[in-house]
Amino acid sequence: MQIEKAPELGLCFGVRRAMKLLKEEVRKHGEIETLGPVAHNHQLIEDLAKTGIKMVNNLDEVRCKTLAITTHGASPNILSSIKARKIQTIDVTCPIVAKAQAAAKNLVEAGFSLVIFGDARHSEVKGLLGWANNKGTAALNIEDLNTNITRGLLLGIISQTTQCQANFRNFCSALITSSASSLKEIRIINTLCLETQRRQEAAIKLAKNVELMIVVGGYNSANTKRLAEVCSPITETKFIERANEVNSSWLVNKNHIGITAGASTPDETIDRVISKLKLLSSSR
Ligand code: SF4
């Protein structure tokens, strides 16, 4: 049985950068906390906790001197609350998310109503709405948009960084079709993350050549879910978090298996999945 890894998979530069900065900081202070998960992956969070980098859910839980703003960023309101409490911070917001925050802020300051193509419950999107001074709306379907916001004369559209390019294109096109007649100007800023796009393109290409795709990553990771979404229409696809979820029945009559992994999946998790597959295939 052939096991083939997608040429682009696993930890992205934003998460690797964040982990490097946090590890440097924890070496200085012994222990630090992160406001929410650094990235949406349980193993990664567990591994960081062992080194003294622990997660808190809100500012009331903060006990350490230093609090980290995670790769997903935070809204200006949260940053002000942290400052008011005199908590020292280290900001590891991914530079690509920071660019999307600047795009949201600039569009709103220029008088545009802002629409974000994304999951309104995701921490990155909550942060983007905050940078838009809460004058924006976020949704994955135009039917779910707050119509008061899309009724202005100037409309700006951006995307949650980890969404899929084709879906963003379709969303923009549907929004333009439904509201262009009443608008004076529509400005679309492509805030998609290229790292995520490259992982999706590599996964799609590989999915076309294999009998089973295994997508490895956090169930709560937006970009990993997207990998499973783009592969499943092409070939049989399984989405797992850990190696122990691999089931030998999946391998029956399979000669070629593809592996991809989300941008927050540690290298060790991918290696363990591959070892488990090899073990199961050798015992067939
Ligand atoms: S997936 Fe992209 S936007 Fe998100 S942390 Fe990684 S590099 Fe940054």
Side-chain angles (χ1 to χ4, degrees):
M1 186 178 74
Q2 187 187 349
I3 300 165
E4 188 175 344
K5 273 166 63 171
E8 297 260 2
L9 84 171
L11 286 187
C12 62
F13 108 91
V15 176
R16 285 191 197 277
R17 172 185 172 273
M19 286 170 55
K20 182 174 172 283
L21 293 172
L22 292 174
K23 283 176 182 169
E24 281 168 12
E25 197 68 13
V26 83
R27 270 198 289 276
K28 283 186 232 157
H29 301 287
E31 208 177 49
I32 60 170
E33 287 163 332
T34 69
L35 186 58
V38 176
H40 289 133
N41 186 283
H42 292 120
Q43 288 102 307
L44 188 122
I45 305 303
E46 286 160 16
D47 290 348
L48 288 177
K50 284 178 204 153
T51 68
I53 302 166
K54 302 203 172 130
M55 187 189 96
V56 292
N57 294 302
N58 56 59
L59 296 184
D60 293 334
E61 290 179 9
V62 174
R63 297 286 172 269
C64 289
K65 261 195 194 153
T66 309
L67 179 69
I69 306 300
T70 68
T71 50
H72 301 119
S75 69
N77 278 349
I78 298 272
L79 297 177
S80 304
S81 303
I82 295 171
K83 206 171 167 193
R85 291 175 186 226
K86 298 191 178 10
I87 301 169
Q88 192 175 304
T89 55
I90 167 173
D91 188 352
V92 299
T93 304
C94 174
I96 296 167
V97 174
K99 273 193 193 162
Q101 291 173 342
K105 182 173 183 282
N106 293 341
L107 281 168
V108 166
E109 283 178 356
F112 285 76
S113 299
L114 181 73
V115 168
I116 301 169
F117 173 59
D119 178 352
R121 295 159 307 171
H122 191 281
S123 47
E124 178 197 320
V125 178
K126 286 184 190 164
L128 292 176
L129 288 167
W131 283 93
N133 205 11
N134 295 315
K135 289 181 183 151
T137 180
L140 290 165
N141 297 296
I142 64 161
E143 295 77 28
D144 299 333
L145 284 172
N146 175 347
T147 45
N148 286 337
I149 284 178
T150 54
R151 253 183 230 139
L153 284 177
L154 308 176
L155 179 66
I157 313 175
I158 64 170
S159 176
Q160 180 180 0
T161 56
T162 49
Q163 291 294 332
C164 155
Q165 200 165 38
N167 293 348
F168 182 44
R169 222 177 11 241
N170 292 341
F171 178 88
C172 292
S173 154
L175 190 51
I176 290 166
T177 308
S178 71
S179 49
S181 57
S182 60
L183 292 168
K184 201 168 138 205
E185 187 176 340
I186 301 170
R187 206 173 280 179
I188 301 171
I189 302 183
N190 182 356
T191 51
L192 290 166
C193 163
L194 277 180
E195 292 254 332
T196 311
Q197 303 312 306
R198 281 201 294 267
R199 277 159 186 70
Q200 287 171 8
E201 281 159 21
I204 290 170
K205 209 167 161 193
L206 180 57
K208 289 178 181 162
N209 294 324
V210 298
E211 293 151 314
L212 172 69
M213 274 301 282
I214 297 191
V215 179
V216 190
Y219 289 134
N220 55 350
S221 154
N223 74 84
T224 314
K225 273 188 226 165
R226 219 75 62 226
L227 287 173
E229 278 166 20
V230 296
C231 291
S232 48
I234 304 170
T235 192
E236 186 182 336
T237 301
K238 304 288 183 193
F239 179 3
I240 57 169
E241 267 196 1
R242 295 168 198 258
N244 61 11
E245 293 169 56
V246 176
N247 190 316
S248 58
S249 67
W250 300 348
L251 312 186
V252 176
N253 298 328
K254 303 288 193 309
N255 295 310
H256 194 179
I257 293 180
I259 307 274
T260 184
S264 48
T265 310
D267 300 339
E268 301 75 32
T269 308
I270 303 169
D271 293 344
R272 277 187 221 121
V273 170
I274 293 174
S275 303
K276 175 84 185 276
L277 286 169
K278 283 184 179 160
L279 185 74
L280 290 172
S281 75
S282 66
S283 59
R284 280 201 297 163

